[in-house]
Amino acid sequence: MELRAMVTNLPAEARAKWVKYLEARTTEEKIRALEEFLSSVPKHKGTENLVAWVRRKLSELRDELEESKRKRGGGPSFFIEKHGVAQVVLLGYTLSGKSSIFNALTNAKSKVTGMPFTTMYPVPGMMLFEDVQIQLVDSPPFVPEATSGKVSWGAKLIGLARNADALVIVLDSSADPVGQYRALLKDLESAGIVLRKPRGRVQIERSKAYSGIRLARMGKILDGTEDDVRKLLESYRVYNALVKIYGEVSIDDVEKALFEAVVYKPSVVLLNKVDLVSYDEVEKHVRELSTLTPHVQIIPVSAITKQGVDLVPGSVFNVLELIRVYTKEPNSREPSKDPLVIPKGSTVEDAIKHIREDFLKHFKYARIWGPSAKYPGEKVGLDHVLSDGDIIEIRTHIRGI
Ligand SMILES: Nc1nc2c(ncn2[C@@H]2O[C@H](COP(=O)(O)OP(=O)(O)O)[C@@H](O)[C@H]2O)c(=O)[nH]1
Ligand SMILES: [Mg+2]
């Protein structure tokens, strides 16, 4: 059943209520609007998926509300504010070694006791990859779907994972890692999170900070134009958003993305505790694990001996599909120390929008040094696609800049 048909075939009243939900600002407003939407949706076989999605979203929102109240009261919370270039969540069963890995990779500390269920709330820390800070979040143990309703954090953990920019899956190589991974994939999928890369995907970031509908194309739309995307979003009264297109997608996929029904999360798998098993076993596990999610990198590590741990930050940065661009003033020899971190596929124009939007009106040309330049100091226009490690110098008609 296509979500598109699910929503567009609803009675006008329900669609109007859906729009109310999209417009809701606070968590309380969203809950109220979604409850009203749900009561206006006719319940039958054809709306089953939609109803299931609404119910899940409602329970997420209610958790969020409860969390923010708790936080205001000074207690621990499941909601972790994002810092650095991305938020990456560690996910795995109890005792797989998440907290040990977290401690080895960040400047923060999370408790390790050897007792199951030691970590009960997420713990944030910063992980350094070369010159970028990536936020890593240690989390309470993942629990099988069958029992997740019975533990207090099941739904919240899924919410944390859904909200992350990427996941680091931690498996215990001494306790049937392939079985663990298979079960984890299945449970994540039924919660609407997939780790297998789809042929294409759409990510919509709605924010007032974007003026209008902007497209970042790392791929292509098979059956429509940029204008079709704009019209579609506007029909849902979405006027300010960044739409990221990866791979090959259809207009239908764009509409589905609006509902966040299924999200793809880039991930890295850590096969932990390799100090406890033989080399042959590690090799066998890696082989079997890679058949489950062929494109996902599997890194054999040990939080105790630190083997393989230094490979993790680079691998995580890689799956985030970000690039670092260093700006340089026209009269200076040295580029900025702190990179501008933007999505892969970004152009000179995208970079300028992040630096100083008003430069666009006065843009003359840019000079590029680094991987995307044909020769050092190549002169390029706004549509030049940048690469990780590029140095960019922007020339404008403004005197002296
Ligand atoms: N031998 C070995 N033990 C580990 C490794 N990583 C974690 N452990 C141990 O496994 C237990 C659980 O670790 P912890 O990090 O608390 O797991 P969590 O429940 O996933 O956070 C602790 O006794 C750790 O010392 C590893 O790479 N090798
Ligand atoms: Mg732990």
Side-chain angles (χ1 to χ4, degrees):
M1 186 65 189
E2 296 271 309
L3 261 174
R4 177 194 182 80
M6 280 166 17
V7 179
T8 50
N9 290 346
L10 286 178
E13 189 207 348
R15 281 199 68 166
K17 293 209 161 136
W18 174 253
V19 170
K20 274 243 161 64
Y21 161 67
L22 292 177
E23 284 171 348
R25 295 252 168 284
T26 65
T27 309
E28 276 107 329
E29 277 172 26
K30 283 182 190 162
I31 292 173
R32 209 172 317 119
L34 213 49
E35 282 168 345
E36 280 187 26
F37 172 68
L38 187 60
S39 67
S40 71
V41 174
K43 314 284 183 301
H44 51 74
K45 191 94 190 126
T47 58
E48 228 170 54
N49 290 345
L50 179 65
V51 168
W53 178 85
V54 174
R55 295 224 162 100
R56 193 175 66 223
K57 191 81 199 173
L58 266 173
S59 94
E60 266 175 42
L61 287 168
R62 287 183 187 126
D63 280 344
E64 209 175 292
L65 189 66
E66 186 199 314
E67 283 306 317
S68 67
K69 277 184 186 151
R70 201 207 312 272
K71 205 165 191 186
R72 274 199 297 273
S77 167
F78 250 79
F79 178 75
I80 305 288
E81 206 175 306
K82 288 193 181 186
H83 286 286
V85 301
Q87 185 177 77
V88 179
V89 170
L90 286 160
L91 212 59
Y93 295 106
T94 191
L95 299 181
S96 58
K98 297 176 297 300
S99 298
S100 305
I101 298 269
F102 174 84
N103 290 341
L105 284 170
T106 67
N107 56 356
K109 270 253 156 297
S110 189
K111 223 193 301 175
V112 176
T113 64
M115 296 292 287
F117 305 105
T118 298
T119 314
M120 294 311 290
Y121 280 92
V123 181
M126 298 310 282
M127 168 173 81
L128 192 67
F129 168 63
E130 295 178 354
D131 51 4
V132 292
Q133 297 271 357
I134 300 169
Q135 186 184 45
L136 195 65
V137 180
D138 187 19
S139 73
F142 194 82
V143 279
E145 195 197 8
T147 53
S148 78
K150 299 193 184 84
V151 298
S152 59
W153 69 90
K156 291 176 208 163
L157 184 59
I158 290 295
L160 186 72
R162 270 186 162 263
N163 193 42
D165 298 301
L167 300 174
V168 172
I169 309 293
V170 182
L171 305 173
D172 181 342
S173 57
S174 68
D176 183 21
V178 179
Q180 284 173 49
Y181 193 42
R182 212 176 260 130
L184 199 98
L185 285 174
K186 189 162 155 279
D187 284 344
L188 282 177
E189 204 151 330
S190 63
I193 300 173
V194 294
L195 307 187
R196 268 182 220 96
K197 203 171 195 167
R199 199 158 54 101
R201 72 193 155 95
V202 183
Q203 206 179 321
I204 302 177
E205 289 172 15
R206 297 170 56 211
S207 163
K208 280 261 184 273
Y210 302 116
S211 42
I213 307 273
R214 194 182 289 163
L215 244 71
R217 256 181 299 183
M218 278 64 80
K220 64 176 175 187
I221 310 164
L222 295 172
D223 58 350
T225 63
E226 213 168 309
D227 213 43
D228 294 331
V229 170
R230 190 165 296 116
K231 281 194 192 119
L232 173 73
L233 294 203
E234 285 176 0
S235 80
Y236 284 100
R237 303 203 197 165
V238 175
Y239 300 111
N240 302 301
L242 175 66
V243 182
K244 295 181 189 165
I245 310 264
Y246 301 89
E248 296 184 340
V249 306
S250 63
I251 292 285
D252 225 56
D253 294 327
V254 178
E255 190 165 10
K256 276 186 194 166
L258 211 49
F259 292 91
E260 302 162 338
V262 178
V263 293
Y264 160 73
K265 288 288 161 193
S267 63
V268 173
V269 172
L270 305 187
L271 182 58
N272 189 33
K273 307 197 189 182
V274 291
D275 55 294
L276 297 180
V277 297
S278 73
Y279 182 83
D280 284 350
E281 255 177 300
V282 171
E283 211 184 20
K284 182 166 151 275
H285 292 326
V286 170
R287 222 176 18 246
E288 285 178 36
L289 290 169
S290 41
T291 61
L292 298 179
T293 46
H295 71 282
V296 177
Q297 193 185 355
I298 294 144
I299 311 177
V301 299
S302 165
I304 300 288
T305 68
K306 304 285 188 288
Q307 178 196 331
V309 167
D310 57 338
L311 297 173
V312 180
S315 179
V316 168
F317 184 73
N318 190 37
V319 299
L320 289 168
E321 303 200 39
L322 297 170
I323 58 167
R324 292 164 291 179
V325 176
Y326 302 81
T327 54
K328 188 177 93 59
E329 302 290 326
N331 300 319
S332 150
R333 288 170 147 262
E334 290 296 314
S336 64
K337 274 216 161 52
D338 284 330
L340 174 70
V341 181
I342 49 181
K344 212 178 235 177
S346 292
T347 60
V348 167
E349 179 172 357
D350 298 324
I352 293 176
K353 281 175 181 163
H354 280 90
I355 305 164
R356 263 188 69 172
E357 183 122 26
D358 65 320
F359 271 13
L360 272 184
K361 287 197 293 280
H362 310 287
F363 180 80
K364 237 183 340 193
Y365 60 86
R367 280 191 190 281
I368 307 285
W369 289 260
S372 84
K374 284 202 200 79
Y375 49 87
E378 187 195 357
K379 228 169 146 171
V380 300
L382 286 175
D383 55 6
H384 176 82
V385 177
L386 296 162
S387 296
D388 184 44
D390 276 352
I391 297 169
I392 181 172
E393 180 187 293
I394 300 153
R395 293 288 185 151
T396 68
H397 292 290
I398 307 169
R399 269 241 288 269
I401 305 183

